[in-house]
Amino acid sequence: MTDFSNFTAPGINNLHPYVPGKPIEELERELGLSGTIKLASNENPLGPSPLGRKAAAESIAGINLYPDDSGYRLKAKLAAKYGLAPEQLVLGAGSSDVIDMVARTFLSPGGNAVFSRYGFAMYPIYTTAAGAQCRVADALPAEHKDMPYGHDLEAMAALVDEGTRVVFVANPNNPTGTWLEAGVLRTFLQDLPEEVIVVLDEAYTEYVTEPDFPNGVAWLAEFPNLLVTRTFSKIYGLAGLRIGYGMANAALIDLIGRVRHPFNVNTPALAAAEAALDDETFLQRSRNTNTAGLVQLASGFSSMGLSWIPSIGNFITVNVQRDGTQVYQQLLKKGVIVRPVANYDLPEHVRVTVGTEMENQRFLDALQEVLEA
Ligand code: PMP
């Protein structure tokens, strides 16, 4: 038979597909369990935004028609919220869709993208799929006193060369939960060549309570090469609908929009996102639940003698001092789904999403049993 791998586009044969968190239904089917909890994909444990959910349900009556390809109403609302023009926005089927559009617009064989070790897993995938080279900067060391495993912006800047088209910065980063302060990030942006696109991935920004945490949107006027991505998958609780967005200067958005798939964002997603933007009560409740959950998990780890990477996202990555994939598998048998992170070069860690107080406790109890067994 023909070996089709001899005929693929550049990059495809080196591609390792993204491994998502295990779905609850799949685990229950495989192990005959019920009452499983999933703390594996940084989803909102409180469910969808109630306003978003209602709007999505109401929009179903119109799904015989294609969605509004321009995303007119949602863009108008986002533009007003951030003080931007609607032309400065691109909508995606999740923010990962936007990141992919950037890669397909600017990356090709001969070019490269720079990102950090332990950076979000989609960066190497989209870079490789576009046939470009991944230039992976060393992260701050595990012993670093402030930001172990964090992005090392100096190391990243040192990898930028004339072939660099895109730099990916996740703030905070997944799976480490580490972050960059406004001052250092701004200096980094100032020092980069102005033709290098910086994707500032702010998927978790709405959870952050740190005072020195930057808001990338405020820098868009100053840096025409900056593109900020955000999502409705996390705090808004709409991961299943797939909707996110990118913000940049209008000329950059125009280029990226050329590779956008027509109708990439569906009707219920558009309706839900628009409504969820107003759901202040839900957002506040989600943020509070998360802040309390981070403390609960850290204190549970501490009483088990485990260290963890200090996180400001809706997840924590904990060092389990043994094979993390095995711990993950033992937790599965107890009906608790977390995320092994060996694929991130962290073989003795697992990442847990912050759940409700009860879910966090169930995870901590299960982890203790696994570690004692
Ligand atoms: N960026 C980061 C850092 C993420 O962790 C995720 C989701 N895991 C995304 C982007 C993409 O999320 P979505 O496509 O659902 O917006």
Side-chain angles (χ1 to χ4, degrees):
M1 203 185 84
T2 310
D3 181 357
F4 293 107
S5 70
N6 292 325
F7 302 96
T8 50
I12 301 301
N13 291 347
N14 297 326
L15 211 50
H16 301 283
Y18 184 73
V19 183
K22 199 174 185 66
I24 290 180
E25 201 181 306
E26 182 181 307
L27 177 68
E28 297 196 336
R29 195 167 56 232
E30 283 171 8
L31 297 186
L33 297 171
S34 61
T36 296
I37 59 169
K38 181 181 180 212
L39 302 174
S41 301
N42 304 343
E43 295 145 334
N44 191 326
L46 302 181
S49 139
L51 293 184
R53 178 181 178 156
K54 183 163 172 281
E58 285 166 6
S59 77
I60 293 292
I63 61 172
N64 57 314
L65 303 179
Y66 285 103
D68 171 15
D69 186 56
S70 73
Y72 179 84
R73 288 219 312 267
L74 178 59
K75 278 189 191 168
K77 200 156 178 176
L78 287 168
K81 177 178 161 80
Y82 295 116
L84 302 172
E87 296 72 35
Q88 291 184 268
L89 285 150
V90 61
L91 304 180
S95 57
S96 43
D97 188 24
V98 178
I99 297 169
D100 180 44
M101 288 180 222
V102 175
R104 285 187 290 123
T105 305
F106 289 102
L107 295 174
S108 61
N112 70 68
V114 171
F115 49 87
S116 177
R117 188 175 179 202
Y118 317 120
F120 178 48
M122 297 308 290
Y123 308 152
I125 292 178
Y126 293 141
T127 302
T128 307
Q133 185 205 1
C134 299
R135 308 199 79 183
V136 186
D138 274 340
L140 296 174
E143 306 74 37
H144 194 275
K145 70 176 186 357
D146 299 322
M147 206 57 72
Y149 302 94
H151 284 19
D152 179 342
L153 291 179
E154 281 177 26
M156 291 175 70
L159 288 185
V160 171
D161 66 8
E162 63 285 354
T164 305
R165 294 287 166 271
V166 182
V167 175
F168 293 107
V169 175
N171 203 32
N173 182 49
N174 167 27
T176 56
T178 51
W179 60 285
L180 296 157
E181 286 181 4
V184 286
L185 187 50
R186 194 159 174 284
T187 305
F188 175 76
L189 290 168
Q190 274 170 334
D191 292 348
L192 276 181
E194 57 193 23
E195 72 279 9
V196 173
I197 311 297
V198 179
V199 174
L200 180 57
D201 177 345
E202 297 187 336
Y204 300 95
T205 193
E206 297 88 351
Y207 281 110
V208 175
T209 55
E210 290 291 330
D212 268 345
F213 190 77
N215 168 15
V217 183
W219 292 333
L220 289 177
E222 188 180 354
F223 299 107
N225 58 334
L226 176 63
L227 184 132
V228 177
T229 58
R230 296 200 179 175
T231 183
F232 288 94
S233 299
K234 306 300 174 185
I235 205 166
Y236 294 96
L238 303 176
L241 286 176
R242 310 304 301 124
I243 178 162
Y245 53 103
M247 296 170 279
N249 82 79
L252 192 51
I253 292 295
D254 171 53
L255 290 172
I256 290 158
R258 297 180 193 190
V259 302
R260 184 178 63 84
H261 298 294
F263 310 114
N264 61 329
V265 181
N266 66 73
T267 302
L270 288 168
E274 197 188 325
L277 279 176
D278 292 328
D279 210 340
E280 266 313 317
T281 318
F282 178 74
L283 297 183
Q284 196 54 48
R285 197 157 66 85
S286 301
R287 202 174 295 117
N288 293 345
T289 302
N290 191 62
T291 306
L294 284 171
V295 174
Q296 183 189 1
L297 288 168
S299 113
F301 297 147
S302 160
S303 57
M304 282 183 245
L306 300 176
S307 64
W308 63 94
I309 307 175
S311 169
I312 60 167
N314 68 340
F315 52 89
I316 308 193
T317 292
V318 57
N319 185 334
V320 289
Q321 300 165 359
R322 67 207 72 191
D323 188 286
T325 304
Q326 276 175 23
V327 168
Y328 156 76
Q329 276 155 354
Q330 295 306 314
L331 286 169
L332 285 183
K333 293 185 190 154
K334 295 180 184 297
V336 177
I337 312 177
V338 296
R339 193 71 154 261
V341 281
N343 60 324
Y344 280 99
D345 231 358
L346 294 166
E348 298 205 335
H349 286 75
V350 297
R351 190 196 70 195
V352 60
T353 299
V354 177
T356 61
E357 187 183 348
M358 259 171 60
E359 288 172 331
N360 298 334
Q361 196 52 53
R362 210 175 127 194
F363 157 72
L364 288 169
D365 292 346
L367 180 63
Q368 179 139 30
E369 285 168 26
V370 166
L371 297 183
E372 281 170 359

